[in-house]
Amino acid sequence: MQNRMMITGAGSGLGREIALRWAREGWQLALSDVSEPGLQETLKLVREAGGDGFIQRCDVRDYSQLTAFAQACEEKLGGIDIIVNNAGVASGGFFSELSLEDWDWQIAINLMGVVKGCKAFLPLLEQSKGKIINIASMAALMQGPAMSNYNVAKAGVVALSESLLIELAQQEVGVHVVCPSFFQTNLLDSFRGPTPAMKTQVGKLLESSPITASDIADYIYKQVAAGEFMILPHEQGRMAWALKQKNPQLLYNEMTAMAEKMRAKAKQNNG
């Protein structure tokens, strides 16, 4: 391990905090995002924290931008040891309200962005016998109401990670998938949904979370070091996942009740 890490969506939120956590260990960081100012700020903080690296604007929907980023990592850092596919966007709305464009947008970034990141960087990881860290969500495991396109994209990230875990074991490339619940982040800046009320509800969940992006980055750091494949940073998330594995119907009933409440609230707001 030469301590070189690539992160997508590193301009803010969890991506930035992951960069800072590894920077404190003196790592070299290749940072990408669609926001150039966010990247500049992250790099400044990384250097203050004891790391270094470079930034490159990159839209994960565009495979050629990701391969160019991989090439830059090879030229500037001599390769890569860990990739973190973190870039993501939030969306919400009941299935009947979501347009096919909403689906395409969500899948293109949250699922295919991860597929393309893995594909573009795999040759470098095979050389370094490195690791892949894919950021999914508890939504991949819990499938809450009024976010079907997000649930499906994130569940795809978990399935991809499980597939790679098995396929890349022989090449000695490690794979981890992270499923955080709601946490204090700026995910809502990119939020897309049919109703403003939905954005407000998600906003309340994010604000009420007792855990920050920095806490999650620290938890990921420890669990990756311990070799844990599925990383669930929230205690409530771990409990909910254990419950679903034991008694899925109980969870479906709870989610159904939640969906009814959400619909009633939406009616009230519109009425």
Side-chain angles (χ1 to χ4, degrees):
M1 279 289 204
Q2 297 210 5
N3 301 357
R4 303 158 302 187
M5 177 186 247
M6 172 289 264
I7 307 169
T8 65
S12 62
L14 183 57
R16 173 177 288 172
E17 293 302 334
I18 290 171
L20 293 179
R21 182 63 191 85
W22 265 265
R24 290 203 289 277
E25 309 298 323
W27 279 55
Q28 294 283 317
L29 296 148
L31 307 165
S32 80
D33 200 288
V34 288
S35 159
E36 195 97 42
L39 282 175
Q40 301 277 8
E41 179 64 16
T42 301
L43 186 60
K44 182 171 143 292
L45 294 168
V46 156
R47 286 177 173 152
E48 285 166 12
D52 200 5
F54 73 96
I55 60 173
Q56 188 157 320
R57 193 189 176 280
C58 180
D59 184 332
V60 296
R61 289 173 291 186
D62 184 344
Y63 185 60
S64 67
Q65 289 185 30
L66 281 159
T67 54
F69 187 36
Q71 205 176 338
C73 288
E74 196 168 17
E75 285 163 13
K76 294 178 182 182
L77 307 178
I80 210 82
D81 301 293
I82 298 184
I83 68 165
V84 184
N85 290 304
N86 164 72
V89 288
S91 68
F94 284 102
F95 182 76
S96 55
E97 304 165 336
L98 291 169
S99 67
L100 289 176
E101 286 73 26
D102 289 332
W103 276 89
D104 287 342
W105 179 74
Q106 183 57 240
I107 300 286
I109 299 169
N110 282 6
L111 175 55
M112 289 310 297
V114 177
V115 171
K116 289 170 183 174
C118 290
K119 190 91 179 146
F121 279 85
L122 186 57
L124 292 180
L125 291 170
E126 285 177 334
Q127 281 169 28
S128 65
K129 303 203 183 309
K131 299 181 199 296
I132 293 169
I133 302 174
N134 291 331
I135 308 296
S137 163
M138 278 310 291
L141 308 175
M142 294 292 123
Q143 290 87 38
M147 45 200 286
S148 56
N149 59 347
Y150 186 78
N151 294 341
V152 168
K154 292 298 191 177
V157 172
V158 170
L160 170 70
S161 305
E162 289 175 332
S163 306
L164 294 177
L165 174 74
I166 296 155
E167 287 188 25
L168 300 177
Q170 218 178 345
Q171 279 89 316
E172 295 176 64
V173 173
V175 180
H176 307 268
V177 66
V178 184
C179 296
S181 309
F182 286 111
F183 59 95
Q184 295 156 15
T185 175
N186 61 339
L187 197 60
L188 280 192
D189 295 352
S190 67
F191 187 90
R192 197 156 139 174
T195 61
M198 191 66 66
K199 185 168 182 170
T200 310
Q201 277 180 316
V202 175
K204 279 182 187 153
L205 282 169
L206 294 176
E207 277 164 29
S208 65
S209 171
I211 190 167
T212 65
S214 169
D215 298 331
I216 292 173
D218 196 47
Y219 189 83
I220 295 169
Y221 183 85
K222 288 172 184 156
Q223 295 297 302
V224 166
E228 193 66 43
F229 165 67
M230 189 176 279
I231 299 173
L232 309 178
H234 293 70
E235 195 180 352
Q236 276 180 307
R238 295 193 286 275
M239 282 157 59
W241 178 227
L243 168 74
K244 185 178 178 180
Q245 288 173 298
K246 215 170 19 201
N247 188 346
Q249 193 56 51
L250 198 65
L251 194 90
Y252 301 145
N253 295 345
E254 209 173 297
M255 292 293 188
T256 306
M258 197 197 285
E260 282 166 18
K261 268 189 208 150
M262 286 169 83
R263 284 189 195 278
K265 205 168 176 186
K267 258 202 187 116
Q268 202 181 330
N269 291 342
N270 295 337

